Amino acid sequence: MKRLVLTALLLAGLVAGAIVATGASSGQRTGPYQIRAIFDDASFAVAGEDVRIAGAPVGTIGSLDVTDRGGTGRPSSCSNPGSGCKAAVTFIINRPGFTPFHADASCAIRPQSLIGEKFVDCNPGTAAAPPLQRIGTGPGVGTYLLPLTHTSSPVDTDLVNDIYREPVRQQFSLILNELGTALAARGSDLNDVIRRANPALRYTDEVLKILAQQHRELAQLARDSNTVLTPLARDEQQISSFVTHANTTSVATAQRANDTAAGLRLLPGFLRQLRPLMIDLGNLADQGTPLFNSLAQSGPAVAQQYENLVPFASAARNALISLGNSAQQQQPLLLKTIPFARHVLRLANASGPSSRLLDQLTASLDQTGTIENLMKVLFYGTSALNGFDSSGHFIRTEALVGSCTGYTQLVIGGCSANFTHTAPTAADVTALARVAKAAAEPKTAREVAIVRSARAAIGTETTTQALTPLLNYLIGPGH
């Protein structure tokens, strides 16, 4: 099959080359190149259908007419089958490079589709043959005549199928029975038919030989076609839907043909601008290769983490369910806090101005250093008011001197801080005597200085009683 396709392409290339060479040597002509071809039967061809050379459209059928066998006259009547009327088809070659047609040119009317459309398939001939002769007078004057011997018409399929139906079948039987008699009187016509049919038979024989050589490929094609068409037959509804949607898409695309053309015009510039980006992406891919290799090495560890995530999720499921239950239970309590939250919101809104003023005050105090200056005033003021002597710092206070001024844990008659008065115990009297003795007989120079200072400050005879708290502190444990 591949060799068949290659052979056809080679032949088409050779024909196209011959056509181009022929057209190049033909020189310039004014007006379209028109050919009047004579056919036995126009075979349902109509004006406007394509004229093709090697499959490429090169022109169209201009008009159809009936004429005599020579093609240059018009018989007065063609109702009699024996009058020799033929079909004259005039087609116009409007593509340069495919003219002129030569004396060995040939044309055939062939089916274009299953609905009966036709087209004219031509071979312009070779440059070795002379060009076609132009008609000087009569019908088709000014066109180039392609005689009946260089044309052929196909037999339509419906005409062949009519053989199997009545009354055509009976008529065909009569034709076969009387064929010998009819041909006996028209031997020359039969000879012409055989000579003209010979190329078709030769081409058919060549096609059959090629098909015989490709029988394995054809068998494989049949098997492959069965393999492909079987799933398509199962999905015929989907295929039908695809065709319907494809038709809708094609219609929409056709409506935007101008936009599509504009996009195609802009595509080269876009590709030029895209090239540097693709180069950068290629460099990025090259530089990212080590990273992806590292990721590939880390893949098992990541997969293990995901595997470990499964038991974690299972364990967390119960906790999440419990959390959901707790949230559901706490929902009524949270709803009850809405009024309180509203009160707090109103309080916050109401305290907004005060908060802003307080913020401005604290900011001003911070910026001006008020707090630091106040602490300095207190510190320096206290230092200025307090005194200092050989014993250390002391605080200047106003002394309220009396018989019950000092603090003591012992109960002294007449000076109790309690609401009820109790008499001193023997232990209290003993402790008081010890304190009085210590006050009367100081031992150290410091105690002597303190006692003297206290006596001078008090100025009464009740010195022992007044100095009792001070002496308890001085001579107590740790002093």
Side-chain angles (χ1 to χ4, degrees), residues 3-72:
R3 287 181 290 177
L4 178 60
V5 173
L6 292 176
T7 303
L9 292 176
L10 181 59
L11 291 175
L14 293 175
V15 171
I19 293 170
V20 171
T22 303
S25 62
S26 61
Q28 298 294 332
R29 289 182 175 85
T30 59
Y33 189 88
Q34 299 185 18
I35 298 175
R36 182 178 174 88
I38 310 302
F39 291 88
D40 287 318
D41 186 359
S43 187
F44 303 102
V46 296
E49 291 181 339
D50 291 340
V51 176
R52 302 178 185 177
I53 295 177
V58 297
T60 57
I61 297 177
S63 62
L64 294 94
D65 198 359
V66 291
T67 183
D68 58 3
R69 185 179 181 87
T72 58

Side-chain angles (χ1 to χ4, degrees), residues 121-178:
D121 186 16
C122 293
N123 180 1
T126 60
L132 293 179
Q133 294 182 358
R134 174 175 282 187
I135 301 175
T137 59
V141 60
T143 61
Y144 294 90
L145 178 64
L146 185 64
L148 181 65
T149 56
H150 292 255
T151 62
S152 61
S153 301
V155 178
D156 289 334
T157 306
D158 55 346
L159 297 178
V160 177
N161 293 333
D162 287 342
I163 298 175
Y164 303 101
R165 297 184 301 180
E166 297 291 349
V168 178
R169 183 173 61 184
Q170 295 177 351
Q171 295 174 355
F172 184 67
S173 298
L174 293 175
I175 292 174
L176 292 178
N177 292 332
E178 301 297 331

Side-chain angles (χ1 to χ4, degrees), residues 12-342:
L14 293 175
V15 171
I19 293 170
V20 171
T22 303
S25 62
S26 61
Q28 298 294 332
R29 289 182 175 85
T30 59
Y33 189 88
Q34 299 185 18
I35 298 175
R36 182 178 174 88
I38 310 302
F39 291 88
D40 287 318
D41 186 359
S43 187
F44 303 102
V46 296
E49 291 181 339
D50 291 340
V51 176
R52 302 178 185 177
I53 295 177
V58 297
T60 57
I61 297 177
S63 62
L64 294 94
D65 198 359
V66 291
T67 183
D68 58 3
R69 185 179 181 87
T72 58
R74 183 187 300 273
S76 59
S77 176
C78 290
S79 59
N80 185 5
S83 61
C85 291
K86 304 298 179 181
V89 181
T90 301
F91 43 86
I92 303 170
I93 307 299
N94 49 25
R95 291 190 63 178
F98 292 91
T99 58
F101 276 42
H102 296 269
D104 56 351
S106 61
C107 291
I109 298 177
R110 302 188 186 281
Q112 182 171 348
S113 63
L114 297 178
I115 62 176
E117 292 180 322
K118 305 294 181 180
F119 74 98
V120 180
D121 186 16
C122 293
N123 180 1
T126 60
L132 293 179
Q133 294 182 358
R134 174 175 282 187
I135 301 175
T137 59
V141 60
T143 61
Y144 294 90
L145 178 64
L146 185 64
L148 181 65
T149 56
H150 292 255
T151 62
S152 61
S153 301
V155 178
D156 289 334
T157 306
D158 55 346
L159 297 178
V160 177
N161 293 333
D162 287 342
I163 298 175
Y164 303 101
R165 297 184 301 180
E166 297 291 349
V168 178
R169 183 173 61 184
Q170 295 177 351
Q171 295 174 355
F172 184 67
S173 298
L174 293 175
I175 292 174
L176 292 178
N177 292 332
E178 301 297 331
L179 181 62
T181 304
L183 294 179
R186 303 188 63 180
S188 59
D189 294 337
L190 179 61
N191 189 24
D192 293 340
V193 170
I194 293 174
R195 286 200 304 269
R196 292 174 56 193
N198 186 37
L201 295 175
R202 186 175 66 253
Y203 293 149
T204 303
D205 185 51
E206 292 178 359
V207 172
L208 293 176
K209 289 180 179 179
I210 295 174
L211 293 178
Q213 295 173 358
Q214 302 289 335
H215 66 281
R216 295 181 180 177
E217 289 78 1
L218 292 174
Q220 184 64 36
L221 176 62
R223 290 191 295 270
D224 296 340
S225 300
N226 185 37
T227 304
V228 173
L229 294 177
T230 300
L232 293 178
R234 292 196 301 264
D235 299 334
E236 59 180 352
Q237 294 181 353
Q238 290 81 352
I239 296 174
S240 176
S241 177
F242 168 76
V243 172
T244 302
H245 291 305
N247 181 43
T248 304
T249 304
S250 300
V251 172
T253 303
Q255 294 175 353
R256 303 297 299 272
N258 295 332
D259 297 337
T260 304
L264 292 176
R265 286 193 299 269
L266 296 176
L267 182 60
F270 170 74
L271 294 177
R272 285 193 298 270
Q273 297 179 4
L274 183 63
R275 183 184 298 275
L277 176 60
M278 298 305 296
I279 294 174
D280 295 338
L281 288 177
N283 296 332
L284 177 62
D286 295 337
Q287 297 176 4
T289 301
L291 173 62
F292 286 108
N293 292 334
S294 301
L295 291 177
Q297 296 176 0
S298 304
V302 175
Q304 184 63 37
Q305 293 297 329
Y306 279 108
E307 292 178 359
N308 296 335
L309 187 61
V310 175
F312 171 76
S314 302
R317 182 173 181 274
N318 297 330
L320 292 176
I321 293 174
S322 300
L323 182 61
N325 296 333
S326 300
Q328 187 175 5
Q329 295 175 0
Q330 296 298 326
Q331 183 179 6
L333 299 177
L334 292 175
L335 294 176
K336 292 180 180 179
T337 61
I338 294 178
F340 174 73
R342 291 175 180 172

